[in-house]
Amino acid sequence: MKDITEFDVTGRRVLVRADLNVPLEGDVITDDGRIRASVPTIKDLAGRGARVIVVAHLGRPKGKPNPEFSLAPVAKRLGELLEAEVAFATDVVGDSAQAVVDGLQDGQVALLENLRFEPGEESKDDAARAAFAGKLAAFADLYVGDGFGAVHRKHASVYDVPGLLPHAAGTLVLAEVDVLRKLTDDAERPYVVVLGGAKVSDKLGVIGNLLTRVDRLLIGGGMAYTFLKAQGYEVGGSLLQEDQLEQVRGFLDEAAKRGVELVLPVDVLAAVEFAEDAEYEVVDATAIPADRQGLDIGPRTRELFAGKLADAGTVFWNGPMGVFEFEAFSGGTRAVAEALIGSEAFTVVGGGDSAAAVRKLGLPEDGFSHISTGGGASLEYLEGKTLPGLVALEEQK
Ligand code: ADP
Ligand code: MG
């Protein structure tokens, strides 16, 4: 992969694919970690006199404009962090985008509206993606891939545009890949992966591959209930991926066969509803009442997990252990984070919400060896998959 420093960018229009997919409440950004992580590349380019056109997605608007997913609040925050004006285009490849791009002077930065407002961005149809990619590419002379959190997506701005322009990887992508390569090539053992969070169907897919690579797999968060159910336990109203029970039973067998320790919660905080102030009790993971839902791992599980992390050589953690956004259900996530901070291991946290949780809980970011901006992307990298966005950056015409 080429480095952006290899290009003379002065006076040239550079399209930067960034990952600015931040959590929002209304139009308030609740964690700006990904915006901050995108600043170094943008600043470097602007500082060298480039005309920087930033493109990014936010949430899942599914190919249609939707003000709920506008990048306008992100443009404002990006400007504050850059201490410079960021021109914002209210469309992606329309008149507003064209006018904003045409108006850029050397050293200035623009942000175009949410890429996913355009159906071509995520289309499975190569021609539809190519047509949209062509419009984006027409804005620029060079392409820089720096949206690590999206490199596992075969999307127009990630995969197709770099095929149309001279391109390089941004500093964030290079730094992320560096760390993940270390985890795949020579992870110090025991190698422990902790999985949690809510994107259960996405993440269950990675487990099969991880079982061939790790020594221990700790499962918490919303993931855990599909495992408990697969073992025949009642999980009440907890998050459940009914259609993947068979697959999960396969993982349990596979782990046993390979001698991988697969560790599940032994107790959970079972709440009467999904709410900040929900009434709850600690129950055994094997005895969740039918009218309750597990919103965090319990105190015995926190200790069990901390013990399984204590002698690790390498830890990769993706996905909160509970609904950390609610104070009452943030203890499990805090316990795992603290176990990582206290460990001598090489520790990597990946995932938008996992990284946000670390900051929200007021834990020191430098307590971890690396905090990755990508959850899905880093998991797929660790599985040994080829990531479309990285492949595209490696190929040079
Ligand atoms: P990441 O962004 O780190 O990859 P995910 O997006 O998969 O993580 O999941 C994060 C979300 O998972 C958080 O919003 C959290 O509230 C939710 N979550 C964790 N545990 C549970 C649970 N037991 N029930 C419901 N949601 C959960
Ligand atoms: Mg998430």
Side-chain angles (χ1 to χ4, degrees), residues 43-54:
K43 213 173 196 160
D44 171 79
L45 290 166
R48 291 195 282 137
R51 303 176 177 201
V52 187
I53 305 148
V54 183

Side-chain angles (χ1 to χ4, degrees), residues 286-310:
T286 55
I288 301 172
D291 59 351
R292 297 204 171 216
Q293 49 183 301
L295 294 187
D296 197 8
I297 55 172
R300 282 195 295 125
T301 306
R302 296 173 198 177
E303 247 176 71
L304 173 70
F305 282 12
K308 298 289 179 192
L309 290 163

Side-chain angles (χ1 to χ4, degrees), residues 1-7 9 12-19 38 40-42 44-46 48 50-56 140-148 151 157-158 161-163 165-174 389 392-393 396:
M1 267 186 279
K2 284 199 178 153
D3 190 309
I4 46 172
T5 58
E6 292 174 47
F7 287 98
V9 297
R12 302 182 79 190
R13 298 170 307 160
V14 183
L15 189 78
V16 178
R17 179 30 159 129
D19 175 11
S38 302
T41 293
I42 297 169
D44 171 79
L45 290 166
R48 291 195 282 137
R51 303 176 177 201
V52 187
I53 305 148
V54 183
V55 291
D141 310 304
L142 294 171
Y143 172 91
V144 172
D146 206 31
F148 180 72
V151 291
S157 67
V158 176
V161 182
L165 292 172
H167 54 263
T171 52
L172 175 64
V173 158
L174 289 173
L393 289 176
Q396 285 288 349

Side-chain angles (χ1 to χ4, degrees), residues 327-350:
E327 173 71 34
F329 305 104
S330 64
T333 302
R334 177 184 292 281
V336 163
E338 283 174 348
L340 262 64
I341 291 169
S343 129
E344 306 272 286
F346 185 72
T347 53
V348 179
V349 184

Side-chain angles (χ1 to χ4, degrees), residues 238-271:
S238 308
L239 216 60
L240 179 63
Q241 207 67 38
E242 198 82 57
D243 55 338
Q244 277 167 309
L245 286 172
E246 211 39 61
Q247 193 188 4
V248 164
R249 280 188 203 106
F251 295 150
L252 291 164
D253 291 344
E254 178 76 10
K257 239 183 271 161
R258 290 188 174 271
V260 173
E261 239 187 300
L262 204 155
V263 189
L264 295 175
V266 291
D267 60 351
V268 307
L269 305 193

Side-chain angles (χ1 to χ4, degrees), residues 306-336:
K308 298 289 179 192
L309 290 163
D311 67 339
T314 305
V315 183
F316 179 81
W317 170 34
N318 168 257
M321 294 293 101
V323 185
F324 73 92
E325 296 91 338
F326 301 157
E327 173 71 34
F329 305 104
S330 64
T333 302
R334 177 184 292 281
V336 163

